[in-house]
Amino acid sequence: MPTYFCFIERDVMGTPHMEALDAETPDQAMLQAGALLRTHASGIAAHVILDERRIGTVRAERSRDA
């Protein structure tokens, strides 16, 4: 089983967040990355990595009032 990683890009300075995902397919990894991104208030994007290659990016949804 491949090991997908998620790197959370943030809009503030600080320690970056990266963690392994429990996914078997790229689609599962992208869904998990989106869910992880929603748990980070300062997150602006979640990049999914496999074997040192970015396979996709999920962008945070921002409200128009923000």
Side-chain angles (χ1 to χ4, degrees):
M1 181 166 96
T3 302
Y4 296 91
F5 289 90
C6 179
F7 175 79
I8 301 293
E9 183 179 343
R10 301 172 355 147
D11 63 357
V12 297
M13 296 296 289
T15 305
H17 183 84
M18 184 172 212
E19 70 180 74
L21 300 171
D22 183 26
E24 295 182 12
T25 67
D27 288 339
Q28 289 177 347
M30 294 297 290
L31 289 171
Q32 289 180 20
L36 183 59
L37 178 60
R38 288 188 294 277
T39 68
H40 290 266
S42 63
I44 59 173
H47 305 285
V48 177
I49 311 294
L50 176 63
D51 297 330
E52 300 181 18
R53 184 173 49 96
R54 184 171 60 193
I55 64 164
T57 297
V58 178
R59 302 265 177 219
E61 294 181 22
R62 300 288 186 203
S63 70
R64 295 177 187 251
D65 299 330

